């Protein structure tokens, strides 16, 4: 059977990550990886170009993602209906749930699960509605096309996280908390994404705008260091660990508190308990984050590296690059995992 290649392209606020996944008869292999930093000298479109020039991707087809305040995600209950009926009904439902005109957005809907029937009531199903401002998607697609790429799916960061979890479950069922509710948490540079899942079903997502750069900023301000120096110190505190931890404590608490609020909200709203958290994203490496989160949410928190379950066919240098940046690559993997779904 012919191999299919796709590139999962995660355009973060600080780093571009790209994973090429090759699928042959249900077998998945990571066949290329690259990461490129966005800086004042290198805009996001430039960083995409730089990455494409430096690495050897076999395909121009990419799955990418958007996030932020122009993206609306809603989980609602609707009467049980077919996918076709849902497609028609979703547009009208959406109008009730988003703060902009339905005509201004591109939208999609997906049946998640049928709910246990309540006596005397019509059977219901849980539905995911997603919408993003058309102009926002157009700009995103224009960047990809200007780089010579062929955008095939535009996803949402939190869902990509869920797709990476789903792929892990498919490749290695023991590696996920089967049948349990877990919270996947990606702590990036400017934001944190949460997706509460059980197996392949997403129950709730949330995004808030705090991340690793706020931690660097705190070190920079408190110790009067340039951001670059503060970043280096944050990653390798060496003998200054105590001083660095003092600088980080307040922001770490804020991030942990916001994660906890989302989990609390979900648990109260749906009367279900999240059993475990899996953290990823560049800032999940921050010294003390895992412990601080465990203290705040009072649940086990594990570092999560979905890449370790996928076979790799990479040059030794790229393999090392991937290993060094594994925490930053989960979303790109989740995006690429849609190789079979388009
Ligand atoms: N070893 C490390 N220790 C602490 N922080 C780290 C480490 N490595 C990376 N980071 C932080 O991770 C962040 C970058 O992670 P990532 O690539 O996941 O973000 P991004 O996708 O660009 O951002 P966002 O998702 O918020 O748009 C930066 O803030 C960086 O300082
Ligand atoms: Mg990110």
């Amino acid at each position: 059977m012919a191999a299919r290649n796709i590139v999962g392209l995660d355009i973060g606020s600080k780093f571009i990550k790209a994973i090429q996944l090759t699928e042959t008869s249900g077998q998945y292999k990571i066949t290329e990886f690259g990461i490129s930093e966005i800086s004042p000298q290198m805009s996001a479109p430039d960083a995409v170009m730089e990455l494409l020039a430096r690495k050897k991707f076999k395909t121009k087809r990419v799955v990418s993602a958007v996030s932020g305040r122009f993206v609306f995600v809603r989980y609602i209950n609707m009467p049980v209906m077919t996918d076709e009926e849902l497609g028609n009904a979703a547009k009208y439902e959406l109008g009730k749930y988003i703060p902009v005109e339905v005509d201004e957005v591109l939208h999609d809907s997906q049946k998640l699960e049928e709910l246990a029937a309540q006596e005397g009531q019509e059977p219901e199903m849980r539905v995911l509605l997603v919408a993003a401002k058309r102009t926002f998607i157009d700009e995103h697609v224009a960047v990809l096309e200007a780089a010579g790429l062929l955008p095939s799916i535009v996803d949402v960061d939190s869902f990509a996280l869920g797709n990476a979890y789903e792929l892990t479950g498919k490749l290695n069922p023991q590696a996920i908390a089967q049948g349990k509710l877990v919270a996947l948490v990606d702590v990036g540079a400017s934001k944190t994404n949460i997706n509460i899942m059980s197996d392949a079903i997403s129950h709730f997502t949330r995004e808030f705008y705090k991340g690793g750069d706020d931690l660097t900023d705190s070190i920079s301000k408190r110790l009067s260091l340039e951001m670059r120096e503060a970043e280096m110190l944050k990653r390798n505190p060496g003998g200054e660990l105590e001083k660095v931890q003092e600088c980080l404590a307040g922001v770490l608490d804020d991030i942990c508190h916001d994660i906890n609020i989302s989990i609390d909200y979900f648990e109260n709203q749906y009367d279900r308990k999240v059993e475990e958290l899996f953290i990823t994203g560049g800032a999940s490496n921050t010294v003390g984050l895992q412990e601080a989160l465990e203290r705040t949410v009072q649940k086990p928190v594990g570092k999560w590296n979905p890449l370790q379950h996928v076979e790799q066919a990479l040059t030794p240098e790229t393999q090392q690059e991937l290993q060094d940046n594994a925490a930053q690559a989960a979303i790109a993997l989740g995006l690429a995992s849609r190789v079979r779904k388009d």
Side-chain angles (χ1 to χ4, degrees), residues 59-213:
T59 178
K60 301 273 178 211
R61 291 172 61 239
V62 294
V63 180
S64 58
V66 288
S67 61
R69 62 185 197 286
F70 298 124
V71 182
F72 312 100
V73 176
R74 303 288 182 263
Y75 294 76
I76 63 166
N77 292 356
M78 288 175 79
V80 171
M81 61 183 82
T82 64
D83 285 350
E84 196 183 339
E85 287 167 332
L86 173 61
N88 296 325
K91 187 170 175 187
Y92 297 97
E93 281 299 309
L94 198 60
K96 301 184 205 160
Y97 295 99
I98 60 171
V100 296
E101 294 295 324
V102 174
D103 290 341
E104 288 177 48
V105 299
L106 291 169
H107 63 91
D108 200 0
S109 54
Q110 193 191 338
K111 171 180 169 178
L112 295 172
E113 58 181 339
E114 287 190 17
L115 301 169
Q118 304 286 327
E119 237 188 74
Q121 284 187 4
E122 247 187 298
E124 286 198 309
M125 61 184 195
R126 195 103 184 113
V127 172
L128 174 63
L129 298 178
V130 189
K133 267 205 141 174
R134 203 180 282 272
T135 47
F136 184 58
I137 297 283
D138 287 347
E139 275 171 39
H140 174 81
V141 167
V143 168
L144 300 177
E145 287 178 345
L149 295 169
L150 300 170
S152 75
I153 303 175
V154 178
D155 208 330
V156 174
D157 278 11
S158 301
F159 298 152
L161 213 51
N163 286 333
Y165 189 70
E166 189 181 346
L167 179 69
T168 307
K170 201 151 64 172
L171 298 177
N172 183 358
Q174 315 304 327
I176 65 164
Q178 289 174 73
K180 290 186 180 168
L181 262 187
V182 302
L184 310 173
V185 181
D186 179 281
V187 193
S190 65
K191 65 176 169 58
T192 296
N193 287 90
I194 302 170
N195 189 343
I196 297 181
M197 308 262 303
S198 58
D199 301 324
I201 298 176
S202 167
H203 299 277
F204 174 87
T205 61
R206 175 68 44 99
E207 177 173 283
F208 64 84
Y209 299 97
K210 282 185 199 118
D213 284 357

Side-chain angles (χ1 to χ4, degrees), residues 10-17 35 38 67 157 186-193 210-216 231 234-236 280-287 325 327-329 331:
D10 173 15
I11 306 181
S13 58
K14 204 68 198 276
F15 289 89
I16 313 269
K17 283 80 68 178
I35 178 164
I38 300 166
S67 61
D157 278 11
D186 179 281
V187 193
S190 65
K191 65 176 169 58
T192 296
N193 287 90
K210 282 185 199 118
D213 284 357
D214 300 295
L215 295 161
T216 312
E231 174 80 34
K234 179 178 81 168
R235 291 184 185 217
N236 298 300
T280 187
S284 69
N285 290 317
T286 309
V287 279
N325 298 286
Q328 288 172 259
I331 287 183

